Amino acid sequence: MAKKKVRNNIVVAILFATWSTGEIVRYYFYLIHTIDKAGLPTLNWLRYNLFIVLYPIGMLAEWHLVVLSLPYIRERRLHTVPWMDYGRANA
């Protein structure tokens, strides 16, 4: 249940949009600079300043998804190392 709750959350779309926006600007910047070394001033500005907006949004989205994933992780005991549990059981 928790897996669907995380997967279908709007924050996943926000995170993908944030990552995609940064990547689109970055690769478009590289494409333009391979064609014309001067580039576009607006694209230069976006390439080096868009992170001011995108970084906090991406960080908060990732944090939110981690918090939403915790019940799923606990339920399946994905946060433990199996060989460490044997020592606790015998103690």
Side-chain angles (χ1 to χ4, degrees), residues 20-78:
S20 299
T21 302
E23 295 300 312
I24 288 168
V25 169
R26 182 168 65 118
Y27 288 122
Y28 190 56
F29 172 83
Y30 290 142
L31 175 69
I32 296 300
H33 275 326
T34 56
I35 296 168
D36 177 18
K37 294 296 178 191
L40 300 171
T42 305
L43 193 57
N44 269 351
W45 186 86
L46 281 174
R47 169 72 174 104
Y48 293 108
N49 291 300
L50 197 59
F51 79 94
I52 296 169
V53 175
L54 295 180
Y55 186 81
I57 293 171
M59 184 182 63
L60 289 173
E62 286 182 15
W63 175 81
H64 186 76
L65 291 174
V66 166
V67 169
L68 286 178
S69 299
L70 288 176
Y72 177 77
I73 292 168
R74 283 190 196 113
E75 179 181 302
R76 285 165 182 71
R77 298 183 51 84
L78 298 174

Side-chain angles (χ1 to χ4, degrees), residues 71-88:
Y72 177 77
I73 292 168
R74 283 190 196 113
E75 179 181 302
R76 285 165 182 71
R77 298 183 51 84
L78 298 174
H79 64 290
T80 62
V81 179
W83 59 269
M84 292 182 81
D85 287 342
Y86 295 123
R88 289 188 190 149

